[in-house]
């Protein structure tokens, strides 16, 4: 069903779009903060100004107002994955229920509870600090486009019921009352998903952190982190910080600690944003509940309405470039944008003629178990959390909180989790890494064309617990 190549009408939709994230291309974006310079000190240095680093800054300052905290961002706040995602804030800490069952079955009830608590805490923090992030607790519809996908969704619904969660399966007739599309055969409804404006949330968290005494420096690239006396020396291009402890929250960027580089790969995801829909266009879609939407193939789309009724449409393929290439030129991919535009029109034919206003890409910190992992090193002075694999908008809150517990040497319910104490399988070195990932991408496409039937390669990856996902 889905086109495999961009079409003329797809290219026409995106041809005039601004090559930048819609979330970041707005007058609300604050001016950059000052660069760090000189030789300073801090009890805690947080490296990374995305969601994980920002949540860590707020948590740490709230927990201990006397602690001196500095946050360093190499570019601008939210410039990375935080300002380039779809704004789906899921309660899942395990990259979905099925992945949680496969990897963390014994502690999944605890992780489900913690995930719901995390979602509530994010909403409460926004209220507490007056952050207007256009939060809508709409839930998400995971759509079956083909009959073979309906059985998988029904199995997930049954597992959710067994675990005491409500994730009902909706048949084609029922879901047609929520969204009208010729390619929707059913859907699973997950109530524990919020839609947010990710950049507004990040900018608000930065303001909240500063109000609590955190020093934030942008355009302050960290060149190295190494032991220094009883602490850690953090070196930027314009100075140093003598830190008591350091929390690394660098997402898909090349990890500062070499040992972490074997556990993550950066995969690229692409997004288009349409112009605002008219009232007539909205009525045609019947999308009155404003749920987040995603489809259910190995290659999948995610899409949603914004506060001003644009459609954000992203996903499908996940691209890995040899050597983990993170060059900013990768943020633009005309063929991928044209293909996404064609797919949007296949999903909603009534939108023929609509135009995209923005196109962008971003890198995702992917690990082989698809959910976050933690590491502590340098004698307990440096903690890291990475590997969110595309579901970090919500899970970063939990990831940051847990990393701080580890850094402070606390014995908590979080730090006792096997999920926190274990690591994913590492990726092999190049060129095996690139070859393996790109074979996996092709096999995902083959499986989708063959009614979901997984070939020998994917079955082997499943048994090994090694793979990648967007």
């Amino acid at each position: 069903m889905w086109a495999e190549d961009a079409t003329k009408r797809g290219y026409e939709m995106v041809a005039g779009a601004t090559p930048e994230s819609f979330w970041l291309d707005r007058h609300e974006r604050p001016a950059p903060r000052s660069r760090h310079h000189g030789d300073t000190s801090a009890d805690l240095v947080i490296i990374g100004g995305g969601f994980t680093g920002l949540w860590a800054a707020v948590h740490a300052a709230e927990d201990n107002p006397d602690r001196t905290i500095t946050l360093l961002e190499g570019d601008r706040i939210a410039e990375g994955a935080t300002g380039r995602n779809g704004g789906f804030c899921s309660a899942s800490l395990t990259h979905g229920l099925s992945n949680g069952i496969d990897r963390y079955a014994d502690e999944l009830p605890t992780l489900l509870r913690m995930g719901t608590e995390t979602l509530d805490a994010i909403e409460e923090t926004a209220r507490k600090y007056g952050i207007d992030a256009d939060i809508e607790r709409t839930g998400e519809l995971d759509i079956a486009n083909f009959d073979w996908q309906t059985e998988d969704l029904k199995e997930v619904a049954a597992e959710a019921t067994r675990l005491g969660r409500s994730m009902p399966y909706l048949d084609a007739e029922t879901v047609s009352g929520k969204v009208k599309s010729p390619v929707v055969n059913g859907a699973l409804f997950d109530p524990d998903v919020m839609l947010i404006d990710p950049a507004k949330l990040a900018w608000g968290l930065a303001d909240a952190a500063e109000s609590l005494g955190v020093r934030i420096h942008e355009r302050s690239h960290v060149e190295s982190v190494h032991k220094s006396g009883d602490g850690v020396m953090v070196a930027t291009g314009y100075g140093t910080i003598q830190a008591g402890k350091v929390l690394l929250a660098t997402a898909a960027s090349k990890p500062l600690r070499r040992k972490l580089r074997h556990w993550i790969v950066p995969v690229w995801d692409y997004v288009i944003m349409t112009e605002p829909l008219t009232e007539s266009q909205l009525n045609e879609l019947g999308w009155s509940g404003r749920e987040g939407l995603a489809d259910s193939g190995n290659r999948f789309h995610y899409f949603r309405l914004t506060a001003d009724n644009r459609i954000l449409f992203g996903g499908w393929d996940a691209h890995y470039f040899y050597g983990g290439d993170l060059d900013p030129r990768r943020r633009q991919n005309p063929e991928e944008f044209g293909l996404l535009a064609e797919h949007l029109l296949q999903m909603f034919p009534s939108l023929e003629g609509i135009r995209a206003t923005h196109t962008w890409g971003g890198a995702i910190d992917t690990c082989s178990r698809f959910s976050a992992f933690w590491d502590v090193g340098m004698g307990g002075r440096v903690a890291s959390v990475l590997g969110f694999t595309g579901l970090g908008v919500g899970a970063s809150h939990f990831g940051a909180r847990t990393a701080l517990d580890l850094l402070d040497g606390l014995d908590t319910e979080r730090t006792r989790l096997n999920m926190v104490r274990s690591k994913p399988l590492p990726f092999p070195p190049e060129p095996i890494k690139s070859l393996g990932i790109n074979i996996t991408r092709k096999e995902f496409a083959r499986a989708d064309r063959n009614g979901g039937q997984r070939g020998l390669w994917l079955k082997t990856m499943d048994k090994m617990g090694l793979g990648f996902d967007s």
Side-chain angles (χ1 to χ4, degrees):
M1 179 197 77
W2 298 113
E4 292 291 338
D5 299 296
T7 62
K8 179 180 178 181
R9 67 174 184 171
Y11 281 127
E12 288 176 347
M13 183 193 294
V14 300
T18 300
E20 176 59 285
S21 167
F22 166 78
W23 306 122
L24 301 175
D25 184 38
R26 292 178 293 176
H27 67 85
E28 297 98 328
R29 189 175 193 180
R33 293 163 173 84
S34 65
R35 175 182 284 124
H36 173 267
H37 64 89
D39 298 323
T40 61
S41 64
D43 296 324
L44 173 66
V45 172
I46 298 166
I47 301 174
F51 279 134
T52 304
L54 293 167
W55 281 121
V58 172
H59 292 325
E62 287 180 334
D63 291 348
N64 185 350
D66 295 328
R67 179 159 42 186
T68 57
I69 304 168
T70 297
L71 185 149
L72 301 173
E73 164 55 40
D75 199 309
R76 295 179 64 183
I77 295 296
E79 180 63 35
T82 290
R84 297 179 179 277
N85 61 75
F88 286 68
C89 186
S90 172
S92 178
L93 305 177
T94 61
H95 207 278
L97 188 64
S98 295
N99 194 54
I101 292 169
D102 289 344
R103 299 180 188 277
Y104 315 109
D106 291 345
E107 56 194 21
L108 188 56
T110 299
L111 289 167
L112 290 170
R113 170 179 57 79
M114 288 179 164
T116 301
E117 291 170 353
T118 294
L119 213 63
D120 293 339
I122 291 171
E123 203 167 14
E124 175 56 32
T125 298
R127 282 194 294 266
K128 178 179 178 180
Y129 292 104
I131 301 172
D132 180 10
D134 295 329
I135 294 175
E136 299 180 79
R137 203 152 181 171
T138 60
E140 176 180 310
L141 290 168
D142 295 324
I143 293 167
N145 302 121
F146 305 98
D147 289 340
W148 61 268
Q149 295 170 349
T150 62
E151 294 307 312
D152 290 341
L153 294 181
K154 288 176 182 177
E155 289 180 12
V156 175
E159 289 289 356
T161 299
R162 180 181 65 81
L163 291 163
R165 316 295 288 190
S166 176
M167 295 177 67
Y169 175 78
L170 310 177
D171 61 24
E173 182 179 355
T174 302
V175 79
S176 68
K178 294 181 174 294
V179 60
K180 292 181 172 60
S181 169
V183 295
V184 175
N185 290 344
L188 183 79
F189 179 63
D190 181 354
D192 284 336
V193 177
M194 299 189 303
L195 299 180
I196 66 167
D197 182 316
K200 285 185 178 179
L201 179 58
W203 298 333
L205 289 174
D207 289 342
E210 286 184 321
S211 75
L212 294 167
V214 176
R215 298 188 297 267
I216 298 178
H217 297 287
E218 298 180 71
R219 296 172 174 169
S220 299
H221 177 72
V222 174
E223 297 181 341
S224 66
V225 173
H226 59 268
K227 288 183 181 178
S228 175
D230 293 332
V232 181
M233 182 64 72
V234 178
T236 71
Y238 293 86
T240 63
I241 306 178
Q242 179 67 34
K245 296 178 181 178
V246 172
L247 194 154
L248 300 175
T250 52
S253 299
K254 189 175 182 179
L256 287 162
R257 299 195 68 215
R258 184 175 296 275
K259 63 177 286 190
L260 300 176
R261 298 174 190 175
H262 303 295
W263 283 318
I264 68 165
V265 295
V267 298
W268 287 81
D269 184 56
Y270 293 96
V271 182
I272 64 174
M273 183 77 87
T274 74
E275 61 194 349
L277 272 62
T278 65
E279 185 175 350
S280 174
Q281 287 171 322
L282 279 171
N283 290 338
E284 282 282 333
L285 303 185
W287 200 350
S288 58
R290 299 178 59 83
E291 299 91 349
L293 306 179
D295 43 40
S296 305
N298 292 300
R299 299 178 299 170
F300 62 92
H301 309 95
Y302 53 87
F303 40 122
R304 56 161 293 188
L305 293 168
T306 62
D308 60 348
N309 292 326
R310 301 166 185 266
I311 293 180
L312 177 148
F313 195 80
W316 188 242
D317 207 350
H319 296 261
Y320 174 77
F321 301 102
Y322 188 88
D325 185 2
L326 287 167
D327 193 299
R329 73 184 189 280
R330 299 293 187 188
R331 293 175 179 174
Q332 292 299 308
N333 189 328
E335 291 183 4
E336 198 71 14
F337 299 140
L339 183 60
L340 285 170
E342 171 59 30
H343 288 179
L344 175 59
L345 294 177
Q346 289 180 240
M347 177 64 69
F348 296 129
S350 64
L351 294 180
E352 183 82 40
I354 199 169
R355 292 288 179 263
T357 62
H358 293 78
T359 58
W360 70 91
I364 297 168
D365 57 325
T366 301
C367 72
S368 62
R369 71 184 192 185
F370 313 148
S371 52
F373 67 91
W374 293 259
D375 182 72
V376 179
M378 294 193 188
R381 300 179 184 92
V382 177
S384 308
V385 55
L386 297 168
F388 291 102
T389 318
L391 278 190
V393 176
S396 56
H397 180 284
F398 174 83
R401 176 74 276 174
T402 304
L404 287 172
D405 286 354
L406 292 168
L407 201 56
D408 290 340
L410 301 179
D411 178 21
T412 67
E413 186 180 29
R414 288 181 290 267
T415 61
R416 289 191 294 271
L417 289 167
N418 182 58
M419 178 188 183
V420 174
R421 292 184 285 108
S422 63
K423 295 284 196 302
L425 288 173
F427 290 96
E430 296 288 15
I432 300 171
K433 182 191 302 183
S434 182
L435 180 65
I437 289 173
N438 286 304
I439 290 174
T440 303
R441 290 176 56 235
K442 291 179 180 178
E443 289 301 309
F444 277 157
R446 186 196 302 272
D448 283 340
R449 291 192 297 268
N450 293 334
Q453 295 298 314
R454 298 170 81 82
L456 179 61
W457 179 270
L458 292 182
K459 289 179 180 178
T460 302
M461 293 296 102
D462 291 342
K463 288 180 180 179
M464 293 174 61
L466 179 66
F468 86 110
D469 195 357
S470 63

